[in-house]
Amino acid sequence: MRKYVVAVLATVMVALLTWQGASAETAPSASPERVSWGECPDGTSLPGLECGTLEVPLDYRDPEGQKIALAISRMASPQPHKRRGVLLTNAGGPGEPGLNYPLVLKYYGVPQSVLDTYDVIGFDPRGVGHSAPVTCDLEGEATATANIPEYALDSADVAERAEYAAEVAEKCGSAATAPMLPHISTANTARDMDRIRAALGEPKISYLGISYGTYLGSVYTTLFPRRSAQIVLDSAMGPKGSGPSASRGFGEGVEDRFPDFAKYLSEHPEYGFGTSVEGIRAKYFEIAARLDAEPRPDGFDGKRFRKVTFEKLYLDQWLPELAEIWRAVETGQPLPQTSPSEAPARQPADNAVAGQLAVLCNDRDWPESVATYQRNVEVDRSRYPMFGAAAANIWPCAFWPTEPSEPPVRINSRGPSNVLIVQNLRDPSTPLSGARELRRAFGERARMITADQGGHLAYLFLKNRCLNDRTTNFLVTGELPRTDVACAAEPNPN
């Protein structure tokens, strides 16, 4: 009987230590499962990529209970004698699958030295893609990525949006996968990452995450600092992660980024908007107000105009397309065809939304009062007049059917100096202020490289050699810059 009690206590202690975070690194564990590599699931089979699965607990408080299968991919180093470990990757979102992301990095020119140094590992996070996908049984336009609410013209708009948000939350709570929803969180995904590390037989992992993936990486290296090697966080969320503050950050981000587009228009007078950056900003408000009062015959209204402008600010390559949209709206011509989505087909169709909402709503305890969002909208309409009244609008998280199962992980400075934050100065999605907050939270654990450029995503996606070379050097050698680095603007060949 005593042996049984000791065994039970040991199991409970392991579960508690794993649940509580960094102390889990000292917890004993059973022999880890190993990954058997083979063909990838339909839709992800591409040359150079092999895939496998790994069972992990649905609920880490009950590690011997229900299991779910994670889909994992590997792009093996072509130089095994040079290989020094694995590089886990995350494509952001939340709600984005990641099996193909190693190949995306290769397509965008990740240096061969990085590919030689690591087996690059992708995975579909829990609840997403081929990793026990969740659903909210949404149809039609509601299956598009949640991303951001629509612009609220007034408090009545917020109340109307609240009715829609409540319907979405109710559907999520009554769908077949609803029992999984409380366990789809950033902290649990970070715990999954440590299970992947163990299954690969690695004492530590390196990591490259973009956008939301920066919060996931921050949580991982906070929970498991001694199991972290090189951690690169590209286009960083603040230390509060994917909650209301991240959504409201879009308003600030548009204000930071829009001057780049206005400058582009001023340098291309053929679009017909003149050469005054200030005048082009004024034109934005003029067009939006006109479309609010009288939408186009095709239904394109002021809310859609603001959201399309926000979306196309993400990349410099999209600015010409945005300029064409503006010109069509201003002249009454048909809207140009936008770039086709390259997102993979999913089953269920609303998995992107369901997976995203599950993480967003579980990571933070969102305000539940509609009046709170009405006040926030008015505050941000004044602070960030271009887009603040959208960024502060209400989400389904206000009506989510479950409460967060644990407090948010608090990012801190305890651990080795092995975190590199890379950031554009003018990012519409994860503004510079959030990256600075994250840098302060990590303290001497981190360094930050900023580049005088605009758009979302810095490493590889924009060809700033100063930022790219230093980031690559850190990944390959582990040498963190001695101080923070400010990279000057460089011509972008794109």
Side-chain angles (χ1 to χ4, degrees):
M1 183 68 166
R2 183 175 181 273
K3 289 182 179 179
Y4 171 77
V5 172
V6 170
V8 170
L9 286 175
T11 300
V12 171
M13 284 301 295
V14 170
L16 286 174
L17 287 169
T18 301
W19 185 249
Q20 291 170 354
S23 57
E25 295 183 313
T26 64
S29 59
S31 298
E33 179 184 349
R34 297 297 183 186
V35 178
S36 296
W37 300 108
E39 292 186 0
C40 292
D42 291 344
T44 57
S45 294
L46 292 170
L49 206 62
E50 52 190 347
C51 292
T53 59
L54 175 67
E55 283 197 342
V56 298
L58 174 63
D59 184 350
Y60 276 92
R61 295 169 298 185
D62 182 17
E64 302 306 318
Q66 181 180 350
K67 301 294 195 297
I68 59 174
L70 298 181
I72 307 168
S73 66
R74 178 177 70 172
M75 186 167 64
S77 167
Q79 301 286 342
H81 63 286
K82 293 183 179 180
R83 178 188 176 279
R84 57 182 290 177
V86 297
L87 178 68
L88 261 70
T89 61
N90 180 270
E96 283 298 312
L99 282 185
N100 279 346
Y101 198 62
L103 293 175
V104 172
L105 291 174
K106 188 174 183 179
Y107 172 81
Y108 276 98
V110 66
Q112 189 62 45
S113 58
V114 175
L115 300 179
D116 291 344
T117 302
Y118 297 103
D119 290 345
V120 183
I121 306 297
F123 70 105
D124 286 352
R126 59 169 50 208
V128 174
H130 295 90
S131 295
V134 294
T135 179
C136 290
D137 290 336
L138 303 177
E139 299 177 349
E141 292 185 3
T143 62
T145 305
N147 198 13
I148 187 75
E150 65 180 14
Y151 187 92
L153 296 175
D154 51 30
S155 291
D157 259 4
V158 179
E160 181 178 345
R161 176 74 182 186
E163 294 179 4
Y164 169 78
E167 291 176 4
V168 170
E170 191 279 329
K171 288 182 177 180
C172 294
S174 59
T177 57
M180 287 182 56
L181 292 181
H183 309 293
I184 310 300
S185 68
T186 298
N188 279 335
T189 303
R191 296 176 180 113
D192 292 342
M193 288 169 54
D194 201 55
R195 290 294 182 107
I196 294 172
R197 175 202 59 78
L200 297 178
E202 299 289 337
K204 296 182 179 182
I205 59 171
S206 292
Y207 177 82
L208 171 59
I210 63 173
S211 194
Y212 159 76
T214 63
Y215 182 55
L216 175 60
S218 298
V219 169
Y220 179 83
T221 198
T222 298
L223 293 178
F224 305 102
R226 289 180 294 278
R227 295 176 185 171
S228 305
Q230 284 81 262
I231 306 296
V232 176
L233 309 177
D234 181 352
S235 304
M237 282 185 166
K240 293 183 179 180
S242 51
S245 61
S247 176
R248 296 179 74 177
F250 294 147
E252 178 184 359
V254 170
E255 299 287 344
D256 290 346
R257 170 63 163 158
F258 185 80
D260 290 336
F261 176 57
K263 184 173 183 289
Y264 175 84
L265 286 179
S266 73
E267 293 172 348
H268 294 82
E270 65 271 19
Y271 289 110
F273 292 99
T275 58
S276 165
V277 171
E278 296 79 9
I280 291 167
R281 177 181 169 88
K283 176 61 71 172
Y284 171 88
F285 294 107
E286 177 190 320
I287 294 174
R290 185 170 74 244
L291 292 174
D292 288 336
E294 185 177 358
R296 285 166 51 101
D298 58 11
F300 192 88
D301 60 9
K303 295 177 182 181
R304 184 62 185 151
F305 170 73
R306 294 178 180 92
K307 187 172 184 180
V308 167
T309 298
F310 163 69
E311 292 169 345
K312 296 301 179 183
L313 292 176
Y314 268 54
L315 298 176
D316 282 352
Q317 297 94 310
W318 294 349
L319 297 186
E321 187 174 333
L322 179 57
E324 293 287 353
I325 293 171
W326 272 47
R327 177 161 61 183
V329 170
E330 181 69 359
T331 61
Q333 298 300 309
L335 292 173
Q337 293 294 319
T338 57
S339 301
S341 172
E342 297 181 0
R346 301 201 191 188
Q347 193 59 250
D350 70 337
N351 179 233
V353 173
Q356 183 178 67
L357 288 176
V359 172
L360 295 177
C361 302
N362 288 331
D363 277 1
R364 293 277 160 179
D365 192 7
W366 290 62
E368 298 177 4
S369 164
V370 176
T372 297
Y373 294 92
Q374 290 171 325
R375 288 193 297 270
N376 291 346
V377 162
E378 293 312 311
V379 168
D380 284 12
R381 190 193 310 281
S382 175
R383 289 198 304 169
Y384 310 121
M386 301 193 80
F387 203 62
N393 205 350
I394 195 165
W395 288 72
C397 299
F399 308 100
W400 203 242
T402 61
E403 296 296 320
S405 59
E406 62 178 310
V409 174
R410 185 173 182 177
I411 309 304
N412 60 59
S413 60
R414 294 189 293 275
S417 297
N418 62 349
V419 178
L420 181 63
I421 303 167
V422 296
Q423 181 76 25
N424 296 330
L425 293 184
R426 299 177 298 281
D427 188 318
S429 180
T430 53
L432 178 63
S433 62
R436 286 174 170 164
E437 288 181 31
L438 184 65
R439 170 69 178 85
R440 288 193 292 269
F442 274 124
E444 285 306 302
R445 286 203 66 188
R447 296 290 184 269
M448 184 160 73
I449 301 175
T450 56
D452 184 4
Q453 58 195 23
H456 189 50
L457 308 181
Y459 181 53
L460 304 179
F461 291 85
L462 293 176
K463 307 302 181 185
N464 187 293
R465 290 172 297 174
C466 167
L467 182 145
N468 286 346
D469 290 352
R470 284 169 169 80
T471 304
T472 296
N473 182 67
F474 172 64
L475 284 170
V476 173
T477 69
E479 296 177 4
L480 201 66
R482 294 184 178 181
T483 62
D484 291 350
V485 177
C487 294
E490 296 181 10
N492 187 350
N494 294 324

